[in-house]
Amino acid sequence: MARDFGPAAGTHQTGPTIRGAPLATSPAALPVADANPLADAILETLVHRIGKDQRAARPHDWLAATILTVRNDIIEKWMTSTREAHAKGAKRVYYLSLEFLIGRLLRDALANLGQTHDIAGALKSLGVDLAVIEEIEPDAALGNGGLGRLAACFMESLASLDLPAYGYGIRYVNGMFRQRLDDGFQVELPENWLQHGNPWEFERRESAYFVGFGGEVIGTDTGHVHWKVGEAVEAMAVDTPMVGWRGKRVNTLRLWTARALDPIRLDRFNEGDFTGALSGQLRAETLTRVLYPNDSTAAGQELRLRQEYFFSSASIQDIVRRHVQYFGDIRTLPDKAAIQLNDTHPAVSVAELMRLLIDFHEFGFDEAWDITKRTFGYTNHTLLPEALESWPLPLFERLLPRHMQLVYAINAKLLREARAAGSDETAIKAISLIDEGGERRVRMANLAFAGSHSVNGVAALHTDLMKQTVFADLHKLYPDRINNKTNGITPRRWLQQCNPGLTSLIREAIGDAFCDDTEKLDALAAHADDAAFQQKFAAVKRDNKVALAKHLKDLIGLRVDPDAMFDVQIKRIHEYKRQLLNIVETVALYDQIRSHPERDWVPRVKLFAGKAASSYHNAKLIIKLAGDVARRVNADPAVGDLLKVAFVPNYNVSLAEKIIPAADLSEQISTAGMEASGTGNMKFAMNGALTIGTLDGANVEIRDHVGAENIVIFGMTADEVAAKRAGGYNPREAIEASPELGQALAAIASGVFSPDDPDRYKGLMGGLYDGDWFMLAADFDSYAAAQRTVDRRWSNRSDWNSATIRNVARVGWFSSDRTIREYAKDIWGVL
Ligand code: 26V
């Protein structure tokens, strides 16, 4: 790759590496940007902003110079967008999220501005390859998984739909950890995405707020309360522009960074206590240093609650300040501001807004509560009990004594309303903001629910389950509050940018209306049975597979056949997502291929990728197992190219953008009722993969849209899972009834794949016999049968092509533009 970088071929000796030796080019040989104003601008930026001579510039310098040049254009649009919204007195949307998994921005910004061609040309005239510098942009991995990536897709759609919006979050110095595999075991390394600086961001030193912690609440003579904080830090805003499709609008992603009020304690310094002198700074900076790398277990740590309050307080102060500055009267806040809580992570914002309204704007409780409820909306992203946040009451009280008082006051009002409506004591217990069973805890989901006029789930099934399970009693009390907003993905990043081949082919076939309205993809259905179109469609997929195969060779040294079926499961590693089901079925298949080599097997490449939470033992063991199975299978001459298995390290947005366009089969196999929505499922379908999946999350709606004949569904429904659990599920029976499963489990447990440590998987396999909470055994036969259905469909290639083309054609509804339009109309009142 590095060879493409630098002056035209032949003008320099050895190409600079990505790490970057300067271009060793003689001055005479420097490419001259003739009459290309854009190239002039990039050069000018390189010299005057980066301070580098063209000859000394390294790849990262060119990247920074390019971004800064493009940014100039973005700034103009940014200011116009802000000015227009202000002039119109428009209502603004505020999306509060502890995660924004935005990935790389350059390709996205250029494509949305329609400048890819021009910038590529300008760089080329300077001897620089745009594709190469795009590849060295670090991934902004400020998120764990689906929830964070959804926030990023939403930011893009908000700008594309020309809606004035701000995203609020934390500027983590270390985002999601980098995953390395050491002998197949996951090792977490710090991600240093800011090491070369970040040319996208603007520090707003003027937009800074105090955020207090601890201390005590004291009554004053005037009857007011005063929170005398024990400790305060400063939150400083750092803004990143979010460019919408066709450059229509540029919104702001505002991320907070923490600083000490007093960066250095001179008294301590003078006493020679240098560490003590800087301890405040260190303590403040710790707040915004790391993203919690967990997406399935609520983090009980104090630092996490401090992060949540820090970013909530700064954001709410900023929103209130802007509103008062523009509109004068805080009473109109709900008419001019819609604040969406992305899960419960920002739920303390409800109490923070109450605090500002009561303690600073001198409202009575009831009026403050009315304003608050009309301003907030809350989105739930998981029903897993272990992920539902609640804080030990003593911790909450110690850190946020004023908010604790407000939580009690809100709870008193809530429980009065519940009693008045006839809720019984069991219901009251479930509705209360305080969990009294055992150690007393503050329930953040109940706080978010109570403080919002809208509470939504992220797929139809998930929303139904919210009503039936976690929020059943609150739903009975407020039956109009829960609503559904099925997730979506931005088709710019997840079709146009990641799959240019497919995009051109679609444009050739149906014109480019789909670029502005993804549902126009449905015109493609008319071509689904056209043999010539199918050929072209298959050729695009093959090209993408060849590119991925090369990438895999470079990355992990594995050679795969691009004509084999690429069968892909990439997502966070979690038992409920059932990567283990896939691996066990792979082992069963391996066994079958070895026993019956004469059969007409469909060659498959099984790809896995994903990170496990660092403390999640079984998830990490599943990664190791995938690697162990891969090592054995890939080296077995008896299977040859019929089966290859790979675990690709360090899954992130950029890797997803390479793998998804090359996938034939999309594995969406969670235990029904457990995956709130999934969004990978939508990305694969949009890129022409067939889905094998359970009736879980958005899979249900994907089936409804693409047609039951164009998706392979297997396994128990959510109702069946619940019934089986209630009736006493016995996994041993299921295992005994399936010899194929029994053999695969026995092989794994006995150390066939781990001869270096034969007992490695005893516990993991034992867990299946003894409990199997995720019902792998109950769904195994159905899954294996579904895989054979997939084989048959693959063997009839025109049927396969027709089905996958229909997936692309009918998945347009899952654009995040549609999702955002629904939020805008039903929740925010901005459309
Ligand atoms: C929980 C925690 C607990 C504390 C530590 C940090 C942390 C970070 C995230 C979470 C909750 C994660 C919930 C989540 O990611 N849900 C996913 O949301 C997607 C978008 O709606 C959805 O497609 C996935 O099905 C759902 O699992």
Side-chain angles (χ1 to χ4, degrees), residues 99 144 146-147 150 292 294-295 297-299 304 343 345 381-382 458 487 576 675-679:
E99 305 191 4
N144 273 283
L147 167 144
L150 186 76
Y292 272 87
N294 201 334
D295 71 340
T297 317
R304 170 78 183 186
D343 219 295
H345 315 153
H381 294 269
T382 179
V458 291
N487 282 168
Y576 85 79
E675 187 72 272
S677 163
T679 45

Side-chain angles (χ1 to χ4, degrees), residues 600-777:
D600 202 9
W601 296 105
V602 169
R604 284 203 194 212
V605 176
K606 287 244 169 209
L607 294 179
F608 296 87
K611 292 174 182 173
S614 41
S615 58
Y616 192 166
H617 179 260
N618 276 0
K620 290 178 122 174
L621 205 51
I622 288 167
I623 293 176
K624 174 66 179 161
L625 176 59
D628 277 346
V629 170
R631 189 166 21 117
R632 163 99 201 221
V633 170
N634 297 346
D636 190 337
V639 297
D641 266 353
L642 288 181
L643 185 60
K644 288 276 176 267
V645 182
F647 191 97
V648 191
N650 201 33
Y651 182 56
N652 61 14
V653 172
S654 296
L655 187 58
E657 289 169 10
K658 292 189 176 70
I659 295 179
I660 293 171
D664 294 306
L665 186 66
S666 156
E667 299 267 356
Q668 309 299 334
I669 60 176
S670 51
T671 315
M674 301 196 85
E675 187 72 272
S677 163
T679 45
N681 45 7
M682 302 165 190
K683 293 164 196 164
F684 280 101
M686 201 173 274
N687 283 277
L690 197 74
T691 304
I692 180 166
T694 47
L695 284 176
D696 198 14
N699 295 354
V700 179
E701 291 153 88
I702 292 176
R703 179 200 58 177
D704 294 345
H705 279 84
V706 306
E709 66 288 6
N710 300 311
I711 185 169
V712 178
I713 297 292
F714 73 93
M716 290 180 289
T717 62
D719 286 344
E720 286 163 357
V721 167
K724 204 172 197 73
R725 279 210 184 118
Y729 166 53
N730 182 350
R732 279 172 197 273
E733 270 172 25
I735 296 168
E736 270 156 30
S738 171
E740 227 191 329
L741 171 62
Q743 277 160 31
L745 298 183
I748 297 169
S750 70
V752 168
F753 300 94
S754 53
D756 54 323
D757 178 5
D759 289 345
R760 183 176 292 139
Y761 302 112
K762 281 234 152 61
L764 192 64
M765 296 300 106
L768 297 178
Y769 284 88
D770 292 339
D772 189 20
W773 180 250
F774 303 97
M775 302 211 158
L776 184 155

Side-chain angles (χ1 to χ4, degrees), residues 462-577:
H462 168 232
T463 301
D464 282 344
L465 293 172
M466 280 169 70
K467 295 180 185 172
Q468 290 167 29
T469 61
V470 178
F471 297 110
D473 293 292
L474 277 161
H475 173 58
K476 241 177 252 152
L477 189 56
Y478 304 109
D480 300 328
R481 205 166 290 184
I482 297 184
N483 62 92
N484 178 55
K485 297 287 168 281
T486 300
N487 282 168
I489 57 171
T490 169
R492 271 74 65 182
R493 184 176 292 256
W494 296 111
L495 174 58
Q496 295 189 43
Q497 290 155 33
C498 74
N499 202 340
L502 181 57
T503 305
S504 317
L505 177 63
I506 297 172
R507 192 176 282 127
E508 211 177 275
I510 62 169
D512 57 13
F514 74 96
C515 294
D516 295 283
D517 175 358
T518 317
E519 292 186 53
K520 295 257 160 64
L521 280 172
D522 71 0
L524 211 57
H527 301 264
D529 295 320
D530 169 349
F533 184 78
Q534 286 188 0
Q535 290 298 311
K536 291 189 205 162
F537 186 83
V540 167
K541 180 63 80 181
R542 192 173 189 286
D543 287 348
N544 293 339
K545 290 167 73 175
V546 168
L548 178 61
K550 177 175 182 324
H551 191 67
L552 291 177
K553 179 79 190 53
D554 294 345
L555 208 63
I556 54 174
L558 180 71
R559 213 176 272 287
V560 296
D561 174 9
D563 290 316
M565 182 199 300
F566 282 18
D567 170 346
V568 182
Q569 189 171 21
I570 49 174
K571 49 183 77 228
R572 283 302 288 259
I573 310 295
H574 199 294
E575 287 164 286
Y576 85 79
K577 293 177 188 280

Side-chain angles (χ1 to χ4, degrees), residues 282-294:
L282 188 68
R283 193 166 157 77
E285 283 172 3
T286 302
L287 257 178
T288 48
R289 179 159 287 276
V290 288
L291 166 77
Y292 272 87
N294 201 334

